[in-house]
Amino acid sequence: MSFFDSLKFSRLKEGLAKTRETLVAKVNRLIFAKGKIDEEFLTQLEEILITSDVGVETAQRIIVSIKHKTKEKKYESQEELNELVRSEITNALVKGSSNGSDPFEFPPHTKPYVIMVVGVNGVGKTTTVGKLAHNYKSARKHVLIGAADTFRAAANEQLEVWGKRAGVEIIQQLHGSDPAAVAFDTVQSAKARGADVVIIDTAGRLHTKTNLMEELKKIKRVITKISPEAPHEVILVLDATTGQNAIQQAKLFNESVGLTGLVITKLDGTAKGGVIFAVSNALKVPVRFIGVGEKIDDLQPFDAEKFVEALFEKESH
Ligand code: GDP
Ligand code: GDP
Ligand code: MG
């Protein structure tokens, strides 16, 4: 690992501390206490997984798979047991984010690459937009942010702060204007200026409010008028601390606007990091990034293997 990679990795480990304390410490204690896999072990493991918000379905899938494996081979030492449980948890994550490609590069002929960021109130959309802008800027991309949250009074000011931090320009209109119009303006300006990427921040909305979901569809339609393949991505931001409710949010947003990826924020503040498994499994939509803090460099591309590694790695490292 390079210096920066290991720095990021230790930041990730730090961010996952609470989830590690619950999920992993419990699994380790169980392995230590039982020392072999039997029905009781599996029942207790399932319980730990479910209470860590991995989700019932995912927990059961992991258990079934472990049962299968233990029929083929005896797992006796604690290392072997550990390795088995850990690899089955990794496999339960939907991959697609960790294909080794640079997460800040775009496919060819997608200029501008348009990313729409959606979600309920307070999940961390604006923060994520700022962090993403910073990352793309650092990857030498010309970035434009569209301030399509015209609903919340201080939304423009908040985004301006992030724009300054990231060194990225923002396209905005007056509070109360049509968010679709802002999105239209932004994509059009990006096209005219030859920008590489557009990131559209949107207002928070409850997934259950149909009129507000219609507003999102309109934003999407309007963008398509300028650039038929756009938006290239619709990213739903989910707050990890909400636990299982995240799944319902994700389902309804997916039905309305078709999600291409997820960002799970606030993993640093919760023991419910397991929800990442539940959501990606329920939706088959990849987790693209995770938020492990409030600072501009606290967004990390999601890599399922690294994530599990950071969860399970011993403290002594
Ligand atoms: P929005 O309403 O969805 O746009 O949410 P904001 O971006 O305004 O964020 C709401 C709050 O969540 C702010 O106080 C952020 O600092 C905080 N926040 C966002 N992402 C993270 C994260 O990954 N970790 C932590 N601890 N806080 C975060
Ligand atoms: P009411 O729906 O007429 O009672 O009034 P509201 O103050 O709830 O909303 C007025 C309009 O503002 C709605 O038609 C929505 O378009 C919009 N609005 C209300 N709440 C939200 C919200 O949480 N997010 C967003 N984006 N728009 C909202
Ligand atoms: Mg916001």
Side-chain angles (χ1 to χ4, degrees), residues 11 117-131 149 152 155 158-159 162 165 201-205 237-239 241 263-270 290-295 298-299:
R11 194 64 200 91
V117 177
V118 303
V120 306
N121 299 80
V123 288
K125 291 179 297 302
T126 303
T127 306
T128 299
V129 167
K131 290 169 173 174
D149 177 357
R152 206 162 63 81
Q158 187 194 1
L159 207 49
W162 279 108
R165 279 183 198 146
D201 190 21
T202 62
R205 66 203 68 232
V237 180
L238 293 167
D239 176 342
T241 61
V263 173
I264 316 281
T265 60
K266 309 189 195 181
L267 277 165
D268 50 309
T270 181
I290 53 176
V292 291
E294 293 182 276
K295 292 194 292 297
D298 285 334
L299 187 78

Side-chain angles (χ1 to χ4, degrees), residues 44-113:
Q44 287 182 20
L45 180 61
E46 187 175 0
E47 206 176 299
I48 295 169
L49 291 171
I50 291 171
T51 52
S52 305
D53 274 299
V54 163
V56 177
E57 210 181 298
T58 312
Q60 281 167 354
R61 181 135 31 122
I62 292 171
I63 298 299
V64 167
S65 178
I66 289 179
K67 259 190 191 158
H68 222 81
K69 291 268 161 70
T70 50
K71 277 198 185 117
E72 292 162 5
K73 180 181 182 293
K74 281 260 171 295
Y75 291 83
E76 276 159 354
S77 72
Q78 286 198 18
E79 278 102 281
E80 279 179 332
L81 283 177
N82 242 316
E83 189 47 44
L84 173 67
V85 172
R86 179 173 152 164
S87 77
E88 290 311 311
I89 291 178
T90 313
N91 289 342
L93 281 167
V94 175
K95 293 179 187 167
S97 49
S98 55
N99 54 8
S101 66
D102 187 336
F104 301 110
E105 283 303 324
F106 308 115
H109 316 299
T110 53
K111 209 166 162 168
Y113 191 79

Side-chain angles (χ1 to χ4, degrees), residues 16-233:
L16 296 178
K18 286 192 181 163
T19 301
R20 179 165 53 230
E21 277 160 28
T22 52
L23 174 62
V24 178
K26 280 187 195 159
V27 169
N28 286 343
R29 269 201 299 276
L30 176 65
I31 290 174
F32 185 75
K34 298 285 303 174
K36 67 172 194 312
I37 297 179
D38 55 17
E39 279 303 320
E40 198 190 328
F41 176 93
L42 292 171
T43 310
Q44 287 182 20
L45 180 61
E46 187 175 0
E47 206 176 299
I48 295 169
L49 291 171
I50 291 171
T51 52
S52 305
D53 274 299
V54 163
V56 177
E57 210 181 298
T58 312
Q60 281 167 354
R61 181 135 31 122
I62 292 171
I63 298 299
V64 167
S65 178
I66 289 179
K67 259 190 191 158
H68 222 81
K69 291 268 161 70
T70 50
K71 277 198 185 117
E72 292 162 5
K73 180 181 182 293
K74 281 260 171 295
Y75 291 83
E76 276 159 354
S77 72
Q78 286 198 18
E79 278 102 281
E80 279 179 332
L81 283 177
N82 242 316
E83 189 47 44
L84 173 67
V85 172
R86 179 173 152 164
S87 77
E88 290 311 311
I89 291 178
T90 313
N91 289 342
L93 281 167
V94 175
K95 293 179 187 167
S97 49
S98 55
N99 54 8
S101 66
D102 187 336
F104 301 110
E105 283 303 324
F106 308 115
H109 316 299
T110 53
K111 209 166 162 168
Y113 191 79
V114 181
I115 304 169
M116 219 175 126
V117 177
V118 303
V120 306
N121 299 80
V123 288
K125 291 179 297 302
T126 303
T127 306
T128 299
V129 167
K131 290 169 173 174
L132 277 174
H134 165 72
N135 277 297
Y136 285 118
K137 181 83 197 277
S138 305
R140 299 174 192 283
K141 301 288 186 251
H142 181 177
V143 188
L144 222 53
I145 294 176
D149 177 357
T150 58
F151 179 73
R152 206 162 63 81
N156 280 352
E157 288 79 354
Q158 187 194 1
L159 207 49
E160 274 169 20
V161 171
W162 279 108
K164 282 215 181 75
R165 279 183 198 146
V168 165
E169 199 189 330
I170 294 167
I171 305 291
Q172 59 184 43
Q173 287 182 12
L174 289 179
H175 169 58
S177 32
D178 182 353
V182 179
F184 188 88
D185 266 9
T186 313
V187 179
Q188 205 167 41
S189 311
K191 214 167 175 179
R193 300 180 205 184
D196 301 298
V197 54
V198 166
I199 310 173
I200 309 238
D201 190 21
T202 62
R205 66 203 68 232
L206 270 182
H207 47 298
T208 47
K209 286 219 162 175
T210 31
N211 64 325
L212 297 181
M213 296 308 270
E214 286 304 318
E215 186 184 271
L216 275 190
K217 289 187 198 166
K218 181 177 168 195
I219 297 177
K220 212 181 152 185
R221 274 200 307 277
V222 162
I223 293 174
T224 309
K225 281 187 191 154
I226 311 175
S227 176
E229 334 68 65
H232 302 86
E233 293 195 40

